[in-house]
Amino acid sequence: MKIWVPCDAAAVACGADEVAAALASAAGLRGEEVEIVRNGTRGMIWLEPLVEIERDGVRHGFGPMEPEDVPALFEGGDHPKALGPIEEIPFFAKQTRLTFARCGRTDPLSLADYEADEGWQGLKRALELGGAQTIEEVTTSGLRGRGGAGFPTGIKWKTVAGAEAPQKYIVCNADEGDSGSFADRMLMEGDPYCLIEGMAIAGLAVGATKGFIYVRSEYPHAIRTLNAAIKAARAAGIIGDSLMGQGPAFDLEVRVGAGAYICGEETSLLNSLEGKRGMVRAKPPLPALEGAFGKPTVVNNVLSLAAVPWILVHGGAAYAEFGLGRSRGTIPIQIAGNVKHGGLFETGFGMSLGTLVNEIGGGTASGRPFKAVQVGGPLGAYHGPDDFDLPVCYEAFADQGGLVGHAGFVVHDDSADMLALARYAMEFCAIESCGKCTPCRIGAVRGIETLDRVAAGDPAAIELLHELCEVMEKGSLCAMGGFTPYPVRSAIRLFPQEFSLSQEAAE
């Protein structure tokens, strides 16, 4: 009997370790031989701990499980927590899983599991193609940065490849700090070899021999898993002095950040990586030309790098068949907040916002009417029911004064206080600003004060707030201050009455 119990941090927080222990104890009492595999999560967080048992070659799910639910698994008959075949659950069946194809299916640290499921095939093809053709495949795919900016990955790689330098670096930005975002953590804990393979391919493509994975200290499970996976891959000869024993050298190291939100910005991350204070650098020079330790550096998000192995195995053109407009491929959407079915949903760009909130997410967890969803993290815009036809892609959201960002979707019901949430955006910026530029450092503090004046009924404060937002957006050195106006402006536009305004005045 083979049983899978997730080791993902979200599942563990829901009691997965206790369920695994109960399974081992129940099997021992019955004298049953049971193999318990600690897999990654399938991403259906509302069902965690989600136990899977294989029957006739099909894995069946049970959840959310508690230790007292375990004995019934060994007694036969219908189980009250039975969900049927795991991949037929509607939330899962409607997905297009490319980047997360293995996550939840395999033991994250099993090299055999990884190799049996297309593992290292992308790296092998990259070794056959060489650097230039590998970059061409990535460019053809249309892959863009999944960390927020949406910059074309192939262009970034080509720039670093063309830079003359004795040393180049690949840096993975795993400083996932957006509220409602967990895809990076889920992949690092559930399929770490995929990230390692993507970084090795990037190193081969641009001529880099060293890679760093910059992870926030709040992700201890991911840090442990990554370090164990790197050690195993190095021992197997996949990375290290030679890629798979036939290519150039490429090795990896995990660097742990202190948890500053600003270190999700690439130049601040590089300063922190070098042991300096995490402060934003002015551009130029671009990190692609003068990045980590002053050398040409590719800085990509976890999901960007993890998409690369699939692209190399199946071809850039196959990846580009998914998506909408200039937003190609799939996007791992993280649905969170006041929502019935919170979790990770990977799909091609183009699904409507309303479908995600109501059909996939199942509406609000409270059962109260939907009010707004914030997309793209704490600095993302709010979208109401009037935006339900909006397709999830970079261009459509930008046209509406928003951003997809890292694709975190935080749902609110009609009890949400939009003035308080707008104030929180300014407060968050004030706390997390690195302090390098005045529009962000001082502007956010003035934003809190001005919104307090709005709450007190000062009619002149709204005009001042709009002026302040314009200064922050256009004058800030990076997106920290530049995007803070997004949630503020969108909250005013959608819910003017909560700011004591008419619709005409808000617009």
Side-chain angles (χ1 to χ4, degrees):
M1 191 177 186
K2 196 171 185 179
I3 304 176
W4 288 264
V5 184
C7 61
D8 177 271
V12 169
C14 293
D17 286 350
E18 290 78 7
V19 170
L23 282 162
S25 175
L29 288 172
R30 288 166 172 76
E32 299 232 17
E33 273 194 45
V34 171
E35 179 186 358
I36 299 174
V37 179
R38 301 305 300 270
N39 57 322
T41 178
R42 296 276 190 164
M44 296 177 282
I45 307 302
W46 80 97
L47 294 176
E48 294 291 1
L50 177 56
V51 170
E52 298 179 40
I53 298 176
E54 188 172 85
R55 291 175 179 168
D56 300 322
V58 177
R59 283 162 64 167
H60 290 248
F62 301 83
M65 290 286 287
E66 296 181 21
E68 53 266 33
D69 298 322
V70 167
L73 289 173
F74 296 89
E75 292 166 2
D78 294 334
H79 193 284
K81 298 288 183 72
L83 300 166
I86 200 79
E87 296 189 3
E88 292 180 14
I89 295 172
F91 184 93
F92 193 91
K94 292 175 182 177
Q95 297 189 48
T96 302
R97 285 213 163 185
L98 306 185
T99 304
F100 283 82
R102 277 177 298 268
C103 204
R105 288 207 314 233
T106 59
D107 176 345
L109 292 175
S110 169
L111 281 168
D113 279 7
Y114 187 70
E115 290 170 5
D117 203 348
E118 291 190 351
W120 315 119
Q121 295 303 310
L123 179 56
K124 288 177 181 177
R125 182 156 186 259
L127 287 164
E128 294 170 0
L129 291 176
Q133 287 187 34
T134 295
I135 293 172
E136 186 61 33
E137 283 285 7
V138 173
T139 303
T140 299
S141 75
L143 178 67
R144 294 166 65 178
R146 297 291 188 255
F151 190 81
T153 304
I155 293 176
K156 186 179 286 190
W157 286 21
K158 190 173 183 179
T159 303
V160 176
E164 295 291 335
Q167 177 68 58
K168 299 177 184 180
Y169 297 104
I170 306 297
V171 173
C172 173
N173 183 348
D175 192 63
E176 185 176 51
D178 284 353
S179 49
S181 295
F182 48 88
D184 291 355
R185 178 193 58 73
M186 182 173 149
L187 188 127
M188 289 186 290
E189 294 176 8
D191 195 11
Y193 295 124
C194 181
L195 177 58
I196 291 170
E197 183 176 5
M199 293 185 71
I201 292 168
L204 174 66
V206 307
T209 57
K210 178 75 174 181
F212 296 98
I213 306 174
Y214 183 92
V215 190
R216 53 181 37 238
S217 59
E218 293 94 334
Y219 280 0
H221 297 81
I223 292 165
R224 285 197 299 269
T225 301
L226 285 170
N227 279 322
I230 289 169
K231 183 178 179 181
R234 190 183 293 128
I238 294 160
I239 60 172
D241 294 336
S242 174
L243 286 172
M244 306 198 82
Q246 54 179 301
F250 185 79
D251 210 348
L252 280 170
E253 179 182 338
V254 174
R255 289 283 175 97
V256 179
Y261 182 80
I262 194 62
C263 287
E265 193 278 333
E266 62 179 1
T267 63
S268 184
L269 182 156
L270 292 173
N271 274 338
S272 178
L273 182 73
E274 294 174 12
K276 302 170 185 173
R277 183 178 175 184
M279 293 186 76
V280 175
R281 300 177 185 176
K283 301 177 190 177
L286 296 170
L289 300 175
E290 192 175 318
F293 309 102
K295 305 301 182 188
T297 304
V298 168
V299 183
N300 279 144
N301 168 261
V302 171
L303 304 183
S304 307
L305 291 161
V308 169
W310 194 97
I311 290 168
L312 266 292
V313 172
H314 299 274
Y319 191 79
E321 288 178 3
F322 300 96
L324 177 70
R326 290 176 49 237
S327 302
R328 308 313 308 171
T330 61
I331 180 75
I333 294 168
Q334 300 121 91
I335 307 171
N338 190 339
V339 68
K340 189 178 292 184
H341 297 154
L344 183 132
F345 187 88
E346 184 177 359
T347 185
F349 283 99
M351 180 174 283
S352 74
L353 182 61
T355 299
L356 275 168
V357 171
N358 290 325
E359 184 180 328
I360 306 302
T364 64
S366 63
R368 296 176 64 94
F370 166 85
K371 186 171 188 176
V373 57
Q374 187 176 29
V375 181
L379 308 182
Y382 290 99
H383 299 270
D386 288 348
D387 285 341
F388 271 179
D389 290 335
L390 197 65
V392 177
C393 69
Y394 297 114
E395 291 73 34
F397 272 72
D399 289 345
Q400 290 293 316
L403 56 124
V404 172
H406 192 46
F409 287 59
V410 179
V411 177
H412 298 272
D413 71 12
D414 66 347
S415 66
D417 182 336
M418 300 311 294
L419 176 55
L421 288 171
R423 186 187 189 280
Y424 172 73
M426 288 292 186
E427 183 181 15
F428 181 85
C429 182
I431 293 169
E432 295 291 347
S433 172
C434 75
K436 179 115 180 202
C437 70
T438 304
C440 178
R441 181 183 71 249
I442 303 299
V445 177
R446 295 292 169 261
I448 297 169
E449 296 168 353
T450 308
L451 280 161
D452 285 343
R453 287 172 56 186
V454 172
D458 183 348
I462 283 290
E463 184 178 351
L464 179 61
L465 183 62
H466 282 304
E467 291 178 4
L468 180 63
C469 284
E470 185 175 9
V471 170
M472 292 181 70
E473 180 182 15
K474 296 180 178 178
S476 296
L477 190 57
C478 79
M480 180 79 203
F483 284 166
T484 296
Y486 281 33
V488 178
R489 285 173 171 160
S490 59
I492 294 172
R493 177 177 58 83
L494 292 172
F495 306 99
Q497 68 281 2
E498 298 193 30
F499 296 81
S500 300
L501 292 171
S502 65
Q503 187 69 52
E504 293 75 17
E507 295 173 352

